[in-house]
Amino acid sequence: MSMFSSLSRITLAKAAIFKNAPVYIQFYVTSRCNLECEQCNIIFANSDVRECTIDEIERIADNFAEMKVAIVLLTGGEPFVRKDLPQIIHAFESRGIHVRMQTNGFASEEQIVRAIEAGGKDISISLDSLHPDRQAIINGKVENSWNRALRAMAIFMRHLPREGSFASLGCVLQPQNMADIEDVIRFGTAASWFTSLVPVHVSDNAAPRGFRSFDQTLQFRETEYATVDAIIERVRRMRTEGYLLYDSDQYLDDIKRFVRNEKTTWRSHNHDVCDSPNLYFALLPNGEFAPCCDHRMEKSYPAYAPEFPSQYKQRQFREEVARITSACSGCMYGSYPEMTVSMRFLAAKIQRVKTFITSPPDKNWPLSYEELLELAESIRSERRERPQSRRNDG
């Protein structure tokens, strides 16, 4: 059973050939969140705009269906704080647009069940460590956030179909969790969940970027570069050994460059410019177009407006976006780079086809919360050499 509708499959195929089809949209449906993670600034960056009404979201879904958008990521903030999330999911899924849900794991079982019943069958949960105390610090000193994430994993496994679904852990590589990366991947694989790495992004007040933390202590130090390199090479080997790591070789290599503030290469097949808006873009909570989570447009382009599908194709609009993207030094936010890599680099394209279509891994679901706790403890206790994380003292 395919996870993607015929509309999504056709758009993905066209994008792979022509590199100019709206494959992937990140929709920040809210800026509200029940965590204040150290590495995230989005709850503050988007707090100045209102949230779309469900009527506006229905119109966005109509426009996206007309534009033949393949995938919409519903993110935030924390999307499950919206009581109408099931209606939002249904708005897109009922029009053949694949929905990916992103969460910190604080949703109740009732909320999760309603989201799945509405059509959501693709989930990403944030998990940066197998140590509850370390995860709590990363999440802004929120106790039990690690346990809540594992409970949510168990609930999703209990209610998602084994076939035609996808589950992954989003793990942010930062100085304070370098010892945890391999453990998270091992844990995810044992639970039949992929892991996707994102290096921490840090901005400064002189040149702020929307998603990036202002905490300068999260920057990797020169003395830590070799440790990052070793982690990347280890997880690359793990993927060849059968562990469920989502990331492509091109993306892994660019993590090394990014932490050194060196030029990344994932945009090299497109004149060193990202593929927004050709392959992907973002929507602010109020439904306005944005090139990505880091940048906004000077003019307002609401995606619920009747004229948005035609505006999206106009030369003037594309030139306005290009002025922003051509000046950007680039990011490593996972989905954006990997979408470009998947469409422009053959090896990654083949890898994605295997992951989602020809050879998706079998799932050992369901696993209970208690089984996940035992699994995490078992992996934490394994006697293996681990890199040294920086202490959480700045």
Side-chain angles (χ1 to χ4, degrees):
M1 180 175 66
S2 175
M3 187 170 63
F4 298 105
S5 69
S6 57
L7 181 150
S8 294
R9 292 198 300 272
I10 291 170
T11 301
L12 286 163
K14 288 175 63 176
I17 297 170
F18 300 110
K19 318 298 187 292
N20 188 14
V23 172
Y24 174 79
I25 316 300
Q26 285 193 358
F27 187 2
Y28 294 86
V29 294
T30 183
S31 65
R32 292 176 287 154
C33 192
N34 30 37
L35 299 179
E36 291 187 15
C37 299
E38 292 181 323
Q39 72 274 11
C40 177
N41 187 54
I42 202 73
I43 60 174
F44 304 107
N46 281 344
S47 62
D48 62 326
V49 295
R50 67 174 180 85
E51 295 176 4
C52 275
T53 66
I54 191 63
D55 178 65
E56 289 168 333
I57 290 173
E58 292 277 357
R59 283 183 272 157
I60 290 171
D62 282 336
N63 284 342
F64 281 6
E66 179 181 340
M67 296 162 61
K68 294 181 170 51
V69 169
I71 302 166
V72 171
L73 170 70
L74 300 180
T75 183
E78 168 52 47
F80 276 91
V81 303
R82 286 199 59 152
K83 295 179 181 179
D84 58 357
L85 183 63
Q87 294 170 268
I88 297 173
I89 293 169
H90 182 261
F92 293 106
E93 283 283 347
S94 64
R95 291 164 173 83
I97 301 165
H98 178 79
V99 168
R100 164 159 261 228
M101 303 170 288
Q102 195 168 55
T103 182
N104 57 29
F106 270 59
S108 67
E109 182 159 10
E110 180 185 359
Q111 288 176 300
I112 291 172
V113 169
R114 290 181 62 216
I116 293 171
E117 289 176 344
K121 49 189 177 289
D122 185 340
I123 183 64
S124 174
I125 293 181
S126 300
L127 192 72
D128 303 305
S129 175
L130 292 191
H131 293 271
D133 54 347
R134 191 169 299 151
Q135 186 71 57
I137 293 172
I138 291 172
N139 290 152
K141 298 184 174 63
V142 178
E143 296 299 325
N144 295 319
S145 58
W146 183 84
N147 300 82
R148 295 288 292 267
L150 265 62
R151 286 188 186 278
M153 287 178 65
I155 295 169
F156 274 106
M157 284 189 278
R158 188 157 61 245
H159 295 284
L160 279 173
R162 283 194 183 190
E163 295 184 12
S165 64
F166 185 78
S168 67
L169 301 174
C171 183
V172 179
L173 170 63
Q174 51 197 296
Q176 285 78 7
N177 74 340
M178 292 188 290
D180 301 289
I181 302 302
E182 180 177 343
D183 285 354
V184 170
I185 296 170
R186 286 175 176 270
F187 174 73
T189 301
S192 302
W193 288 54
F194 279 81
T195 298
S196 179
L197 296 180
V198 175
V200 64
H201 287 57
V202 182
S203 185
D204 58 53
N205 292 321
R209 300 278 183 90
F211 192 85
R212 307 186 186 206
S213 170
F214 289 106
D215 186 350
Q216 299 303 307
T217 68
L218 294 180
Q219 293 273 21
F220 283 97
R221 298 166 183 163
E222 187 173 349
T223 54
E224 295 167 331
Y225 293 165
T227 302
V228 172
D229 290 351
I231 292 169
I232 296 304
E233 290 311 310
R234 175 58 191 137
V235 302
R236 194 198 308 270
R237 290 194 302 272
M238 290 177 71
R239 196 188 61 209
T240 64
E241 294 165 4
Y243 288 92
L244 301 182
L245 178 69
Y246 179 80
D247 306 310
S248 65
D249 282 329
Q250 189 78 31
Y251 180 82
L252 292 174
D253 287 338
D254 272 341
I255 289 179
K256 297 181 185 179
R257 300 181 182 98
F258 187 79
V259 301
R260 289 171 164 81
N261 292 312
E262 295 175 357
K263 184 179 178 180
T264 56
T265 63
W266 64 268
R267 305 181 301 170
S268 61
H269 289 190
N270 191 41
H271 312 289
D272 287 325
V273 178
C274 77
D275 278 297
S276 176
N278 293 341
L279 294 178
Y280 42 75
F281 56 85
L283 291 187
L284 301 177
N286 62 1
E288 290 184 3
F289 170 93
C292 64
C293 53
D294 265 346
H295 297 288
R296 292 187 183 182
M297 301 284 282
E298 289 186 9
K299 295 182 181 178
S300 172
Y301 292 98
Y304 52 79
E307 64 272 17
F308 182 73
S310 60
Q311 286 178 330
Y312 174 78
K313 298 177 182 178
Q314 289 173 0
R315 183 174 180 178
Q316 178 184 343
F317 171 80
R318 296 300 179 101
E319 289 175 350
E320 289 178 38
V321 178
R323 283 196 290 272
I324 296 171
T325 57
S326 60
C328 181
S329 59
C331 73
M332 286 295 293
Y333 284 130
S335 298
Y336 295 128
E338 285 288 26
M339 192 59 68
T340 284
V341 171
S342 296
M343 298 302 165
R344 295 185 179 274
F345 293 80
L346 181 59
K349 193 178 298 184
I350 294 171
Q351 179 186 337
R352 296 292 177 260
V353 170
K354 289 181 178 178
T355 298
F356 290 105
I357 301 174
T358 61
S359 306
D362 293 331
K363 298 183 177 76
N364 60 352
W365 296 357
L367 293 176
S368 68
Y369 170 64
E370 290 74 21
E371 288 173 316
L372 290 176
L373 288 177
E374 291 178 7
L375 181 59
E377 174 59 28
S378 173
I379 293 172
R380 275 199 308 262
S381 303
E382 289 175 354
R383 300 187 66 176
R384 284 181 283 105
E385 184 177 347
R386 292 172 172 81
Q388 185 68 43
S389 295
R390 190 194 304 172
R391 291 177 54 194
N392 288 87
D393 56 8

